[in-house]
Amino acid sequence: MAKKVFLETHNLKNRAGGLGTFNYELIKGFSQLDFPDLELILNLQDPATLQAEFGNKFQYHQYNSLSRHKLFRNRGKYDLWHSVNQNTKVEPAKVSKYVLTVHDVNFVEEVSSDMNHKTNKLFLEKLQRAHAITYISEFAKKQTHQYFNVPNVPEYVIHNGNPISTLRDISAFKAPVPTDKPFLYAIGDFLERKNFLSLVQMMPLLPDYNLILSGSNDKPYGIKIRDFIAQHNLQDQVFLTGKVDDTAKQFYMANCTAFVFPSIREGFGLPPIEAMAFGKPVFLSNKTSLPEIGGEHAYYWNQFEPEYMKTELEKGLQHFHANQSEMEAHMKKRAASFDWKTAAAHYLDVYREILK
């Protein structure tokens, strides 16, 4: 009889964000595999949409916001519960086995280091009930052990895959911002940790390039960047597209001179992998998980002073173009090493191991 595995995957609303991507791509990875010994149940706000895509490959459970409260927790009988996001408040009333996936514990540094803070207490409760813990990077594992007393349970590092599994037809795409001049590209939510302002501050030193930034920019950090652009008259060199769909994202990645991502806190970092899939040079900060993801052929900034960043960018581009065929091959090979089907297979192995 197949074992029932409940996947707490309701966080699919922002498909362009890291957690939304993780939820969807993991499900998609599972859909490409056979698991007759397991019955996977997806917890979703809109089950009909994914059921139309994946059919009877999965069972579907309707997410209810009330289930975040203890009194209304899911009381279904499952052999294993997988919490795919360490910060979700949706928990089982009772379950035989519990697997927790940790993306990062940046909240300790950004919200509060007080272990009595509600965010830390919620995470501690999850750690304490876990029968196994998976991490999306070696850095996420190291960071968790740095701040928390991790229980003596099996731990696994399972890298995410490359979200670009299907190439879009970008031939008819009309960019709403200028792309006739060589441009640098970055994408992500406009948060302090993404450090996009350092890119904008570098641009006056690079008059031969434009910078295009994609992502939700209506939060305080986005407003700060827009104000800087206006105050320094960079409107003709730095362009904010807002959120973009997959076609637009692939267009910018395929046509940029380089992908730039100076994030200072990153549990994994999906966008650099997407850019590498197009054979592009990627310039990353040397902080947190990014060296683990970028590998030996990416270029790294170890500080964010504009003149230094500009010099390192120019040196990196010169090296890349002097060895272009070889470097493009390195980038594409690196991107191909991150695969969602492979990641999903590893998660199934974890389920089976814990269910023994």
Side-chain angles (χ1 to χ4, degrees):
M1 184 175 179
K3 299 285 188 179
K4 291 188 174 184
V5 177
F6 188 90
L7 297 171
E8 207 305 277
T9 51
H10 88 271
N11 200 332
L12 279 163
K13 184 177 180 181
N14 181 8
R15 192 75 65 85
L19 290 176
T21 296
F22 180 86
N23 278 252
Y24 175 75
E25 295 293 344
L26 182 60
I27 291 168
K28 189 175 177 181
F30 284 138
S31 74
Q32 300 171 51
L33 300 168
D34 293 321
F35 37 89
D37 55 328
L38 300 172
E39 179 182 323
L40 303 190
I41 301 105
L42 309 181
N43 192 37
L44 306 165
Q45 288 179 301
D46 182 18
T49 298
L50 262 68
Q51 190 165 11
E53 183 173 357
F54 299 116
N56 61 5
K57 190 74 179 183
F58 306 101
Q59 298 297 313
Y60 303 88
H61 182 272
Q62 176 73 56
Y63 163 78
N64 187 321
S65 60
L66 285 174
S67 63
R68 295 178 296 171
H69 305 286
K70 284 189 176 182
L71 184 63
F72 300 101
R73 281 182 173 176
N74 187 322
R75 300 186 181 278
K77 293 182 178 180
Y78 309 105
D79 298 290
L80 185 148
W81 181 289
H82 182 185
S83 182
V84 302
N85 167 16
Q86 79 272 352
N87 289 327
T88 180
K89 294 180 180 178
V90 180
E91 294 287 297
K94 183 179 180 182
V95 69
S96 298
K97 301 290 183 179
Y98 185 93
V99 173
L100 172 66
T101 291
V102 178
H103 298 258
D104 62 65
V105 293
N106 289 334
F107 49 85
V108 178
E109 299 169 1
E110 295 179 343
V111 179
S112 174
S113 60
D114 180 359
M115 287 298 118
N116 289 315
H117 189 278
K118 61 181 181 180
T119 303
N120 294 330
K121 287 176 71 174
L122 172 67
F123 182 66
L124 275 167
E125 289 173 6
K126 289 174 174 289
L127 281 178
Q128 290 164 358
R129 79 186 303 174
H131 294 87
I133 304 168
T134 66
Y135 304 91
I136 63 171
S137 64
E138 292 288 353
F139 169 77
K141 179 180 179 181
K142 177 182 176 182
Q143 187 189 37
T144 303
H145 280 264
Q146 177 183 349
Y147 291 114
F148 294 94
N149 183 18
V150 178
N152 185 23
V153 298
E155 297 178 273
Y156 309 85
V157 173
I158 303 175
H159 282 151
N160 296 340
N162 179 3
I164 296 183
S165 54
T166 304
L167 290 176
R168 304 280 178 156
D169 180 3
I170 60 175
S171 60
F173 178 76
K174 302 295 183 185
V177 296
T179 57
D180 54 337
K181 182 178 177 180
F183 66 92
L184 312 176
Y185 184 59
I187 184 171
D189 284 335
F190 281 51
L191 302 170
E192 290 276 355
R193 75 166 83 95
K194 297 298 183 184
N195 198 23
F196 286 164
L197 183 57
S198 68
L199 298 173
V200 181
Q201 292 170 332
M202 172 182 66
M203 294 313 296
L205 304 176
L206 293 166
D208 294 333
Y209 294 93
N210 286 344
L211 172 66
I212 298 176
L213 299 173
S214 294
S216 177
N217 58 52
D218 56 353
K219 297 170 184 173
Y221 188 63
I223 295 170
K224 183 178 180 180
I225 288 176
R226 294 206 303 269
D227 287 346
F228 186 93
I229 292 169
Q231 290 165 7
H232 294 81
N233 296 314
L234 295 172
Q235 299 92 331
D236 294 328
Q237 192 182 15
V238 180
F239 302 92
L240 311 184
T241 68
K243 290 183 179 180
V244 294
D245 62 16
D246 285 345
T247 301
K249 177 175 67 174
Q250 291 189 25
F251 173 87
Y252 293 126
M253 286 190 171
N255 288 283
C256 69
T257 299
F259 184 80
V260 286
F261 201 69
S263 177
I264 57 174
R265 290 191 184 94
E266 207 69 36
F268 187 80
L270 289 168
I273 298 173
E274 297 174 287
M276 288 190 288
F278 288 97
K280 295 297 178 176
V282 295
F283 291 80
L284 314 172
S285 86
N286 69 340
K287 313 300 180 188
T288 62
S289 69
L290 290 175
E292 179 182 346
I293 305 309
E296 63 179 320
H297 296 295
Y299 303 99
Y300 297 97
W301 289 302
N302 58 36
Q303 56 152 302
F304 306 104
E305 188 273 325
E307 185 69 43
Y308 163 81
M309 291 182 70
K310 171 247 189 189
T311 299
E312 292 301 304
L313 179 82
E314 290 178 332
K315 282 166 53 180
L317 288 175
Q318 184 178 15
H319 173 266
F320 186 89
H321 292 302
N323 307 274
Q324 188 154 346
S325 296
E326 179 184 358
M327 290 301 295
E328 286 181 354
H330 284 314
M331 294 294 99
K332 292 178 180 179
K333 182 179 180 181
R334 182 69 179 172
S337 70
F338 297 96
D339 181 78
W340 281 108
K341 183 178 179 181
T342 301
H346 288 318
Y347 281 102
L348 292 178
D349 289 342
V350 172
Y351 301 161
R352 294 180 179 116
E353 185 67 25
I354 303 307
L355 285 168
K356 278 184 180 177

